[in-house]
Amino acid sequence: MLKKILLFAVLVLGFQCQVLAQKDPNAKLVLDQVSERYQSLNGIQATFEYYYYNDLDGASQSSKGEVAVKGNRYKLILDDQEIYNNGETVWTYIKTGNYKEVTINTVSDDPDELTPSSIYNLYKKGYDYALLGEERLGGKLVQKIKLTAENTNAQFSTIVLYVDKANKDLVGWEVSDADGGSFKYEFKNVKTDVDLNNSFFAFDVTEHVDVEVIDLR
């Protein structure tokens, strides 16, 4: 009888811990501070280093880029492509050798889509979160927060955010997909409260007459 009582107590305690871990209030406090900070800024610009690795096949690669964010708008510059999003339309500009094309789409209304402008509010719907602790990243003391998708079919099962403890800047994030791949972004030279005109986030087709235009709107 005593064994059964002890086992029941362990099960109940384990269940309570699991429930508490789903929505960690300490993690939420940090996430709310990050969200409020970034929504109050006129714009953000940064360079970043990008890493990809796959535990299943050992594939890996790294690259560098630039990103700018203002509200729900963003501009992403990589080696061979640029992505412009003005909140209504998204342009994907690809440069491969002498060939250039831009694909135009209407911005997706998928709330689970991970973009530079959605990462700050992604935790508010569809994710559990937990504060994993603190560590050093790029010489800064950061708070490490893990988001876990509630939907098992989500594109990314887990997302780890790295938040500068001093000023609540998001200095990096890491995402894992169902295929064993992990993507990590570490931000450098972050400039906050940059005044960016809305036109900065739109691709002007008229200024790129040598680019093939594929309009899918």
Side-chain angles (χ1 to χ4, degrees), residues 40-145:
S40 69
L41 299 175
N42 289 326
I44 309 158
Q45 283 184 306
T47 59
F48 65 87
E49 294 182 0
Y50 158 87
Y51 309 90
Y52 169 78
Y53 56 92
N54 191 301
D55 292 331
L56 298 180
D57 58 18
S60 65
Q61 69 180 74
S62 62
S63 186
K64 296 181 179 181
E66 300 175 21
V67 64
V69 181
K70 177 183 179 181
N72 64 343
R73 305 172 180 87
Y74 69 87
K75 180 178 177 179
L76 186 63
I77 300 178
L78 301 170
D79 288 337
D80 57 355
Q81 68 175 303
E82 300 175 8
I83 301 176
Y84 299 72
N85 185 321
N86 68 355
E88 298 179 354
T89 305
V90 57
W91 296 263
T92 303
Y93 175 41
I94 297 177
K95 300 168 286 183
T96 305
N98 294 324
Y99 178 71
K100 301 176 182 179
E101 71 172 35
V102 61
T103 302
I104 308 174
N105 279 288
T106 301
V107 170
S108 170
D109 58 0
D110 182 358
D112 296 326
E113 184 176 15
L114 180 61
T115 69
S117 59
S118 70
I119 188 70
Y120 309 108
N121 293 310
L122 200 65
Y123 73 98
K124 294 181 179 180
K125 183 179 180 181
Y127 285 88
D128 295 328
Y129 37 79
L131 182 61
L132 301 183
E134 299 177 358
E135 63 180 65
R136 289 282 174 181
L137 182 66
K140 299 178 180 179
L141 182 62
V142 300
Q143 294 168 295
K144 189 176 179 180
I145 298 176

Side-chain angles (χ1 to χ4, degrees), residues 31 119 143-147 159-163 170 172-173:
L31 292 169
I119 188 70
Q143 294 168 295
K144 189 176 179 180
I145 298 176
K146 182 179 181 180
L147 308 182
I159 301 172
V160 178
L161 304 179
Y162 297 87
V163 179
L170 183 60
W173 74 67

Side-chain angles (χ1 to χ4, degrees), residues 142-214:
V142 300
Q143 294 168 295
K144 189 176 179 180
I145 298 176
K146 182 179 181 180
L147 308 182
T148 304
E150 296 173 346
N151 182 358
T152 56
N153 295 320
Q155 181 180 6
F156 299 108
S157 55
T158 61
I159 301 172
V160 178
L161 304 179
Y162 297 87
V163 179
D164 188 328
K165 187 176 181 180
N167 58 19
K168 303 310 174 188
D169 276 346
L170 183 60
V171 295
W173 74 67
E174 184 173 1
V175 297
S176 301
D177 60 26
D179 299 321
S182 294
F183 308 80
K184 186 173 183 179
Y185 299 82
E186 185 175 341
F187 297 100
K188 313 283 185 179
N189 306 315
V190 179
K191 298 178 182 178
T192 57
D193 217 12
V194 180
D195 189 11
L196 299 173
N197 192 288
N198 290 346
S199 61
F200 180 78
F201 301 93
F203 183 88
D204 191 343
V205 176
T206 62
E207 293 185 359
H208 298 80
V209 293
D210 59 336
V211 176
E212 180 181 356
V213 178
I214 305 173

